[in-house]
């Protein structure tokens, strides 16, 4: 791609804030709500007063973040913004999350939104970490999160805005005395919900009743207790900040050690941040500098194996014999207590994010800004099995090194001016971003049993037991963008945006895409006919339309791909003599396609913001229609003469539609009373459909486990929601104790043609509720969240809790004894038998705090405040789901297409209690 560097450009100049002074009369508007109306929100390459915003933007400030042991942005945000569904992938420390903004709109690129940190666009395509790549930023350093939901707000990021944008603003210094904060948390976590597997005595009865062969070693072991622990975590943060008329600074250090409830599971983070701003020449020159350095160390167990073993291991097996883990059980099984000593999965990641942004006011209102940044990360991962004699385990070692280098150069020009009652804010810019990802891997096996870990005796494996792999991807993105914000008398607002993106990921015939948007706002409350309407204090109507793109596809897919073959394949080789020896050959496995285009999401939004009762009751209503088309897929060519079995193409006419309604409400009590409270919440209704698909089903989720591996569970089906479960309909058992399924096509036999759409993994309805209360020095905060209308396929039950397993003395739940006449030979076919409702209502977070006046201790001159708090996380969940937890999204994919709502023996969630103290100096 040809690179073009423009000499600088802009960013929107800061919009001045004016907060009305609150008068003593209770009949006037509350200062807190005026502040809410006039607060500044980040809109990408700039900021706006909230009252001037025309797009759909959700904002969360640091004081409203979720409390407790929090590792990343998603945990701060969960349940805070309508239309933003955050679901935890698992209970592992720092686990990934599915963050879905206004529904799933793509097949290949998952749901991950674009992250922008202090103006720097983040790339998390592969940082070498197995957990959430956003763990690198310390949540304690974040000041606010602004979620750009509709196309008008996100179109300024063009080709990467289709999944929405999360703009992260870190903390800055404030005028006044230097502020220092020291906080420390101690967290205790335990398994939140034990599965109701059989105890030893009940197990003996059930195996005998089922006609199985009882393997009884006389023990009484609760394997869930043996393989989980009470985890103790700690978190310490220190920050110092201050500001003058010409400068401000924020500096922070953080340490976190989060233990998981499974052994060998923890996440450590060491973080440091420096933010500095300096003004010169009477404020006409300004330099912002942001530096964040993080080291994370992540230890992971083989969670799927551990969870399966804790649920199925025979409870009569003794965990220990003579104070040591029992070596071999009667059936030759491998004691999981031994396995956890020989298995290791450890990753260390170092990441530096830095950007410097000098700006100069050329003439009054015209500002040029340069943004230079780099995001550099390296990671090393070690996965090993230490060789073991009894039980036998060959030694293996998998080493991986990763490097991700992301550089950014942006130039913007912003011109803000006013002509009579007409306000203009015009911005134009250019951006160039280059990404270089490299990884190298080595695999070794058959290490000697000598007490030395494989990673420290690599030569002992020998060269014949070694394989290597190398990956290198370089991508470039070049963009031009512009935005105009216009306002007339603060009543009538107009925003127009256009961005042109060129990406090296696409073919030479369609390298550039153009993404426009337009939005309008009407501040009805400022009309003369509203002057005498005292009960309504804020009323604004918004409407927007725009396009965003999606370039999150694999690299190099527009190019041909070849594969070597020395095994005599007719595709690649042919014999050169009568001996039958074949030379090494190559053959085409993927054809090139220079015509690949962007996936494009077109979104329309109509919204209403309102405030009544002296702005004590405020709210927002949004209706949106979001259509993604030009869908990209890797397909089997229809043309029989196509030289390769696979090719990437845009599927004509196929689309993914998301239509939804969002509602947010918030009520504040009178702030002048001794007891104050704040009640609010949000809800979202989303209807998702795949339309005009030429395929009967595109598989997104497959079963895992003996007898079911690769069986289809869910996929993309025409006129059905994404994540629809496509399975046989279970009707019960016949008189022989064997499955009966509905014969859909009526041909008298049960085949794959009898599978039916049986609900979706995506909820139709998500809702969140929060309550805050304060009395004198005490405060209480409660956060609830829930979903409805989704289904979960319990792959854990279908794989592990069969009657056949009970018959061979493996433990189960009462799922296996639900039908007394079930045959031990009945197969666990993928069907609606294991499909369960995923509705839940959870008390996600509860915090009780007390602010101690330092004057009582005689240290008021040095300490401004001391705060003690207790936070309970995941205190309870109400659900009919029979698994560990109904919040299931493992993040696995099939053919690069993400699956949803399948429980693959997921790392269980914990219930945590966090004890914290914060001192401000």
């Amino acid at each position: 791609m040809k690179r073009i560097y423009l000499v600088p450009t802009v960013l929107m100049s800061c919009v001045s804030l004016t907060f009305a002074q609150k008068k003593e009369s209770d009949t006037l508007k509350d200062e807190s709500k005026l502040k809410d109306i006039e607060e500044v929100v980040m809109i990408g390459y700039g900021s706006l007063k909230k009252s001037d915003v025309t797009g759909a933007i959700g904002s969360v400030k640091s004081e409203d973040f979720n409390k407790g042991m929090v590792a990343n942005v998603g945990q701060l945000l969960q349940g805070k913004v309508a239309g933003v569904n955050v679901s935890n992938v698992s209970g592992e420390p720092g686990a990934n999350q599915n963050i879905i903004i206004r529904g799933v709109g793509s097949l290949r690129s998952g749901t991950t939104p674009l992250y922008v940190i202090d103006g720097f666009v983040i790339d998390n395509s592969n940082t070498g970490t197995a957990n959430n790549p956003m763990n690198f930023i310390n949540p304690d350093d974040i000041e606010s999160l602004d979620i750009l939901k509709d196309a008008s707000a996100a179109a300024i990021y063009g080709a990467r805005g289709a999944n929405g944008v999360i703009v992260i603003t870190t903390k800055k210094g404030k005028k006044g005395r230097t502020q220092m904060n020291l906080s420390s948390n101690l967290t205790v976590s335990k398994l939140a919900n034990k599965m109701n597997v059989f105890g030893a005595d009940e197990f003996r009865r059930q195996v005998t009743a089922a006609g199985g062969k009882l393997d009884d070693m006389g023990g009484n072991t609760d394997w869930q207790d043996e393989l989980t622990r009470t985890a103790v975590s700690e978190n310490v943060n220190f920050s110092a900040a201050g500001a003058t008329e010409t400068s401000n600074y924020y500096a922070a250090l953080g340490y976190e050690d989060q233990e998981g409830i499974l052994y060998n599971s923890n996440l450590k983070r060491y973080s440091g941040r420096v933010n500095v701003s300096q003004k010169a020449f009477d404020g006409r020159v300004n330099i912002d500098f942001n530096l964040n350095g993080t080291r994370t160390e992540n230890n992971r167990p083989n969670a799927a194996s551990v969870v399966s073993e804790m649920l199925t291991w025979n409870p009569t097996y003794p965990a220990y014999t003579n104070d040591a883990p029992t070596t071999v059980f009667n059936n030759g099984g491998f004691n999981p207590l031994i396995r956890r000593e020989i298995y290791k999965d450890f990753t260390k990641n170092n990441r530096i994010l830095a950007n410097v942004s000098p700006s100069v006011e050329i003439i009054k209102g015209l500002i040029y800004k340069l943004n230079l940044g780099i995001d550099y990360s390296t990671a090393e991962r070690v996965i090993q099995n230490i060789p073991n004699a009894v039980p036998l385990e060959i030694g293996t070692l998998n080493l991986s090194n990763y490097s991700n280098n992301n550089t950014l150069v942006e130039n913007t020009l912003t011109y803000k001016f006013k002509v009579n009652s007409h306000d203009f804010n015009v911005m134009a810019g250019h951006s160039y971003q280059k990404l270089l990802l490299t990884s190298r891997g080595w695999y070794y096996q058959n290490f000697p049993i000598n007490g030395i870990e494989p990673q420290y005796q690599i030569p002992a494996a020998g060269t014949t037991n070694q394989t290597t792999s190398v990956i290198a991807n370089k991508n470039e993105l070049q963009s031009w963008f512009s935005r105009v914000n216009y306002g007339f008398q603060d009543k009538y607002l107009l925003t127009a945006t256009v961005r042109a993106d060129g990406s090296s990921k696409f073919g030479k015939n369609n390298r550039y895409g153009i993404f426009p948007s337009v939005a309008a706002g009407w501040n009805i409350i400022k009309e003369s006919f509203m002057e005498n309407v005292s009960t309504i204090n804020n009323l604004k109507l918004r409407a927007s339309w725009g396009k965003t793109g999606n370039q999150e596809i694999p690299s190099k897919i527009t190019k041909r791909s070849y594969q070597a073959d020395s095994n005599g394949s007719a595709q690649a080789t042919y014999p050169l003599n009568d001996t039958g020896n074949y030379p090494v050959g190559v053959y085409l496995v993927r054809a090139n396609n220079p015509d690949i285009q962007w996936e494009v999401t077109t979104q329309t939004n109509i919204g209403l913001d309102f405030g009544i009762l002296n702005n004590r009751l405020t709210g927002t209503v949004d209706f949106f229609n979001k259509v993604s088309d030009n869908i990209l897929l890797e397909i089997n060519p229809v043309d029989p003469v196509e030289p390769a079995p696979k090719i990437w193409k845009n599927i004509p006419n196929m689309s993914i539609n998301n239509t939804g309604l969002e509602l947010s409400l918030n009520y504040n009590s009178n702030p002048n009373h001794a007891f104050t409270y704040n009640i609010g919440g949000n809800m979202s209704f989303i209807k998702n459909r795949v339309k005009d698909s030429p395929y009967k089903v595109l598989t997104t989720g497959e079963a895992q486990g003996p007898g079911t591996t690769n069986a289809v569970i869910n996929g993309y089906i025409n006129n059905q929601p994404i994540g629809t479960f496509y399975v046989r309909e279970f009707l019960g058992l016949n008189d022989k104790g064997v499955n009966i399924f509905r014969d859909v096509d009526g041909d008298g036999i049960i085949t794959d043609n009898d599978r039916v759409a049986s609900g979706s993994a995506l909820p139709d309805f998500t809702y969140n509720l929060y309550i805050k209360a304060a009395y004198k020095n005490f405060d209480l905060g409660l956060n609830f969240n829930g979903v409805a209308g989704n289904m979960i396929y319990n792959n854990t039950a279908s794989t592990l809790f069969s009657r056949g397993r009970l018959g061979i003395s493996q433990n189960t739940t009462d799922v296996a004894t639900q039908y007394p006449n079930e045959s031990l030979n009945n197969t666990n076919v993928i069907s609606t038998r294991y499909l369960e409702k995923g509705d839940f209502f959870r008390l996600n977070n509860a915090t009780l705090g007390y602010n101690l006046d330092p004057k009582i201790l005689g240290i008021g001159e040095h300490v401004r405040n001391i705060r003690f708090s207790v936070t309970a996380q995941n205190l309870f969940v109400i659900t009919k789901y029979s698994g560990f937890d109904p919040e299931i999204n493992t993040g696995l994919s099939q053919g690069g297409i993400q699956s949803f709502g399948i429980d693959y023996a997921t790392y269980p969630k914990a219930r945590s209690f966090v004890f914290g103290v914060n001192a401000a100096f």
Side-chain angles (χ1 to χ4, degrees):
M1 169 176 284
K2 184 179 180 181
R3 308 174 194 176
I4 300 177
Y5 296 94
L6 296 182
V7 179
T9 131
V10 309
L11 232 193
M12 302 187 73
S13 54
C14 293
V15 181
S16 61
L17 290 175
T18 56
F19 299 116
Q21 300 262 337
K22 184 183 73 172
K23 297 184 179 180
E24 295 184 0
S25 172
D26 289 346
T27 61
L28 296 181
K29 299 179 179 179
D30 296 337
E31 179 184 30
S32 62
K33 295 317 297 173
L34 276 175
K35 181 178 179 179
D36 181 64
I37 295 172
E38 294 301 308
E39 72 182 15
V40 164
V41 297
M42 304 305 295
I43 58 173
Y45 301 99
S47 59
L48 277 179
K49 290 187 299 182
K50 190 173 182 180
S51 60
D52 291 341
V53 170
T54 55
I57 299 178
S59 297
V60 186
K61 304 302 180 184
S62 57
E63 58 267 25
D64 296 321
F65 289 161
N66 289 322
K67 312 301 181 185
M69 180 59 71
V70 175
N72 48 57
V73 172
Q75 291 173 299
L76 294 176
L77 187 62
Q78 188 172 32
K80 297 299 183 180
V81 179
V84 181
N85 185 20
V86 181
S87 58
N88 296 311
V89 167
S90 76
E92 186 175 2
N96 279 305
Q97 287 135 352
N98 276 333
I99 301 179
I100 303 176
I101 300 177
R102 293 190 163 182
V104 181
S106 177
L107 301 185
R108 293 276 324 177
S109 63
T111 65
T112 304
L114 179 70
Y115 292 96
V116 181
I117 302 177
D118 292 326
F120 191 99
V121 180
I122 298 299
D123 174 71
N124 285 328
S125 55
N126 194 337
T127 60
T129 57
N131 267 343
N132 195 324
M134 289 303 293
N135 289 334
F136 86 96
I137 183 169
N138 187 342
D140 198 65
D141 293 336
I142 298 175
E143 179 65 30
S144 65
L145 299 171
D146 294 288
I147 299 86
L148 314 184
K149 298 189 290 184
D150 72 341
S152 172
I156 196 66
Y157 292 105
R160 292 173 288 182
N163 286 336
V165 182
I166 297 180
V167 180
I168 301 171
T169 303
T170 58
K171 293 178 179 178
K172 304 290 190 294
K174 299 177 181 179
K175 290 182 181 180
R177 61 182 287 185
T178 298
Q179 299 179 5
M180 292 186 290
N181 283 277
L182 176 63
S183 64
S184 179
N185 296 324
L186 179 70
T187 304
V188 179
S189 305
K190 286 185 69 75
L191 178 64
N193 175 38
K194 289 179 67 174
M195 294 276 281
N196 193 24
V197 296
F198 298 131
D201 292 338
E202 180 65 16
F203 174 79
R204 293 181 177 101
R205 288 192 293 270
Q206 292 294 349
V207 172
T208 302
K213 182 180 179 181
L214 179 62
D215 184 7
D216 191 346
M217 292 185 65
N220 184 3
T221 304
D222 187 328
W223 287 104
Q224 292 182 84
D225 287 345
E226 293 292 340
L227 297 177
T228 62
R229 64 182 174 182
T230 298
V232 179
S233 306
E234 58 181 326
N235 181 291
V236 180
N237 291 286
F238 174 78
S239 66
T244 66
E245 292 294 332
T246 58
S247 64
N248 74 64
Y249 71 91
Y250 172 85
L253 293 172
Y255 168 73
E256 179 175 352
D257 183 1
Q258 186 174 351
E259 272 192 353
I261 57 173
L262 298 185
Y263 289 89
N264 298 332
S265 173
N266 74 290
L267 174 71
K268 289 185 179 181
R269 177 176 57 216
Y270 309 84
S271 64
R273 171 169 286 277
V274 176
N275 293 340
V276 178
S277 295
Q278 180 67 51
K279 294 181 180 180
F281 300 103
D282 296 325
R284 296 187 64 178
V285 175
N286 187 68
I287 299 176
D288 294 323
F289 175 73
N290 304 295
L291 173 65
N292 185 83
T294 308
R295 177 182 176 88
T296 57
E297 298 176 355
N298 190 199
N299 210 2
R300 309 181 74 216
N302 188 341
S305 175
V306 173
V307 172
S308 296
E309 288 164 346
M310 74 166 67
L311 297 177
T312 61
W313 273 90
N314 187 327
T316 72
Y317 289 167
Y320 296 90
T321 300
N322 298 326
D323 297 325
T326 305
T327 304
V328 180
F329 297 126
N330 285 356
N331 65 356
F334 207 129
N335 189 335
L337 296 174
I338 297 177
R339 186 176 298 281
R340 82 180 183 202
E341 298 301 324
I342 66 176
Y343 178 84
K344 182 176 184 178
D345 181 352
F346 179 75
T347 302
K348 56 183 178 182
N349 175 269
N350 298 307
R351 189 167 182 176
I352 293 177
L353 173 64
N355 67 314
V356 59
S357 303
S359 63
V360 57
E361 187 176 24
I362 302 171
I363 60 174
K364 184 178 180 180
L366 178 62
I367 298 176
Y368 160 76
K369 186 171 185 177
L370 171 67
N371 185 20
L372 299 174
I374 185 168
D375 179 13
Y376 179 67
S377 68
T378 61
E380 298 178 6
R381 187 177 183 185
V382 177
I383 304 175
Q384 69 176 14
N385 278 292
I386 300 174
N388 193 72
V390 181
L392 179 63
E393 176 72 26
I394 67 169
T396 61
L397 174 64
N398 198 327
L399 297 176
S400 302
N401 289 337
Y402 300 86
S403 173
N404 194 328
N405 195 339
N406 175 5
T407 57
L408 176 70
V409 181
E410 290 182 327
N411 299 279
T412 55
L413 278 172
T414 302
Y415 189 30
K416 183 180 179 182
F417 60 97
K418 185 172 184 177
V419 179
N420 297 324
S421 297
H422 305 273
D423 291 291
F424 294 89
N425 194 321
V426 183
M427 185 269 292
H430 171 266
S431 175
Y432 173 76
Q433 193 162 15
K434 182 172 73 173
L435 305 129
L436 177 62
L437 167 67
T438 61
S439 70
R440 296 175 177 86
W442 300 267
Y443 177 78
Y444 309 88
Q445 64 180 13
N446 291 332
F447 287 87
I449 302 174
N450 54 14
I452 302 176
E453 293 185 24
Q455 63 176 318
Y456 302 124
Q457 56 167 339
I458 293 176
T463 57
T464 58
N465 298 310
Q466 174 182 340
T467 58
T468 61
S469 62
V470 178
I471 296 175
N473 290 323
K474 182 174 74 172
N475 295 303
E476 297 174 275
L477 188 70
Q478 181 169 247
S479 312
W480 288 266
F481 48 89
S482 179
R483 178 176 60 220
V484 176
N485 290 318
Y486 165 76
F488 178 68
Q489 296 182 345
D490 289 333
K491 297 179 184 178
Y492 313 112
L493 310 170
L494 181 67
T495 302
T497 304
V498 63
R499 179 164 178 142
D501 279 321
S503 173
S504 61
K505 286 188 175 183
F506 291 91
K508 60 183 180 180
N509 296 340
N510 290 292
R511 187 143 291 180
Y512 279 87
I514 298 177
F515 306 96
S517 75
V518 63
W522 179 21
N523 274 318
I524 305 172
I525 191 63
K526 296 188 177 183
E527 295 288 355
S528 59
F529 59 79
M530 296 294 295
E531 290 181 355
N532 297 322
V533 183
S534 59
T535 57
I536 301 178
N537 314 105
N538 178 43
L539 190 63
K540 182 172 72 173
L541 183 65
R542 296 175 283 104
S544 67
W545 172 93
K547 292 179 178 288
T548 49
N550 201 328
Q551 69 136 21
E552 300 308 315
I553 56 175
S555 301
K556 306 176 184 178
I557 65 170
T558 61
K559 299 176 174 30
R560 291 185 177 91
S561 179
Y562 296 89
Q563 184 170 316
D565 193 330
S566 59
N567 296 319
S569 169
Q571 292 177 290
T573 61
Y574 60 92
L576 297 178
N577 52 52
D578 295 336
T579 62
N581 295 325
Y582 287 80
V584 175
V586 296
Y587 62 97
L588 190 66
V589 294
R590 185 183 66 220
N592 68 317
N593 184 357
D595 297 319
I596 288 178
Q597 300 179 13
W598 311 81
E599 290 186 350
V600 177
T601 297
T602 304
Q603 188 174 171
T604 303
N605 188 93
I606 299 175
L608 181 70
D609 304 326
F610 61 89
I612 59 177
L613 302 176
N614 294 326
N615 268 320
R616 297 233 178 104
L617 178 62
T618 60
T620 298
V621 181
D622 278 279
F623 172 81
F624 67 88
N625 185 45
K626 176 180 171 183
V627 180
S628 301
D629 56 16
N630 234 20
I631 303 300
L632 267 171
L633 277 178
E634 186 179 28
I635 63 171
N636 299 314
V638 178
D639 189 344
V641 299
E642 181 67 51
K646 296 287 185 180
I647 189 172
W648 280 82
K649 283 189 176 182
N650 296 98
I651 309 303
N653 302 321
M654 183 179 178
S655 67
I656 302 172
N657 294 35
N658 287 279
T659 303
L661 178 68
E662 301 169 353
L663 173 64
S664 298
L665 289 173
N666 183 80
Y667 181 79
N668 281 290
S669 68
N670 191 325
N672 297 320
H673 292 172
F675 175 73
T676 61
Y677 60 91
N678 172 212
I679 301 175
N682 59 74
M683 59 183 68
S684 303
F685 300 86
I686 296 181
K687 182 178 181 181
N688 178 282
R689 288 289 183 273
V690 176
K691 293 189 176 181
D692 298 320
S693 171
Y695 308 101
K696 183 176 182 180
V697 58
L698 288 169
T699 303
T700 61
E702 294 184 345
Q704 296 182 355
T708 62
T709 300
N710 297 329
V712 174
I713 294 180
N714 65 6
Y716 292 75
I717 303 171
N718 205 31
N719 294 320
Q720 295 290 335
I722 283 175
T724 292
F725 295 102
Y726 191 59
V727 296
R728 297 173 185 177
E729 185 177 342
F730 178 72
L731 300 179
L733 305 177
N734 61 21
D735 55 2
K736 297 181 180 180
V738 176
N739 296 320
I740 302 174
F741 304 107
R742 184 161 72 92
D743 185 4
V744 176
D745 59 11
D747 64 357
I749 56 175
I750 301 300
T751 66
D752 284 346
N753 292 330
D754 295 307
R755 294 176 296 181
V756 293
S758 304
S760 171
L762 300 183
D764 300 320
F765 176 48
T766 61
Y767 58 98
N768 307 280
L769 172 68
Y770 59 83
I771 301 172
K772 296 180 182 179
Y775 179 71
K776 295 185 177 180
N777 292 336
F778 288 93
D779 58 85
L780 175 69
L782 303 174
N783 286 279
F784 303 85
N785 69 295
V787 303
N790 64 306
M791 305 295 289
I792 297 172
Y793 188 83
N794 194 338
N795 187 80
T796 304
S798 70
T799 302
L800 304 181
F801 301 149
S802 67
R803 196 171 183 83
R805 280 185 173 266
L806 190 62
I808 58 174
S809 280
Q810 292 186 353
N811 208 358
T812 72
T813 66
D814 56 9
V815 171
T817 60
Q818 181 180 6
Y819 299 93
N821 69 323
E822 184 170 6
S823 170
L824 291 176
N825 296 320
N826 191 33
T827 56
N828 51 344
V829 177
I830 305 303
S831 71
T832 56
R833 178 177 181 178
Y834 302 102
L835 202 58
E836 303 181 41
K837 288 187 176 181
D839 302 15
F840 70 85
F841 176 70
R842 187 192 308 273
L843 175 52
N844 191 43
N845 196 286
T847 299
L848 177 65
Y850 176 74
N851 292 293
L852 174 66
D853 187 351
K855 295 178 181 178
I856 297 176
L857 304 177
I859 56 176
E861 293 183 3
H862 307 287
V863 181
R864 290 186 295 113
N865 186 56
I866 301 175
R867 174 176 167 79
F868 299 94
S869 63
V870 178
T871 298
Q873 293 177 281
N874 191 24
L875 200 57
F876 69 78
V877 58
I878 300 173
T879 182
K880 292 183 178 181
Y881 182 61
S882 64
F884 278 122
D885 194 277
E887 200 170 30
I888 297 296
N889 267 315
T890 58
L892 297 180
S893 61
Q894 171 64 31
I897 303 176
Q898 184 176 346
S899 66
F900 296 95
I902 304 175
D903 188 347
Y904 294 111
T906 305
Y907 191 124
K909 289 186 175 62
R911 177 172 296 115
S912 302
F913 294 90
V914 185
F915 305 90
V917 59
N918 180 282
F921 305 93

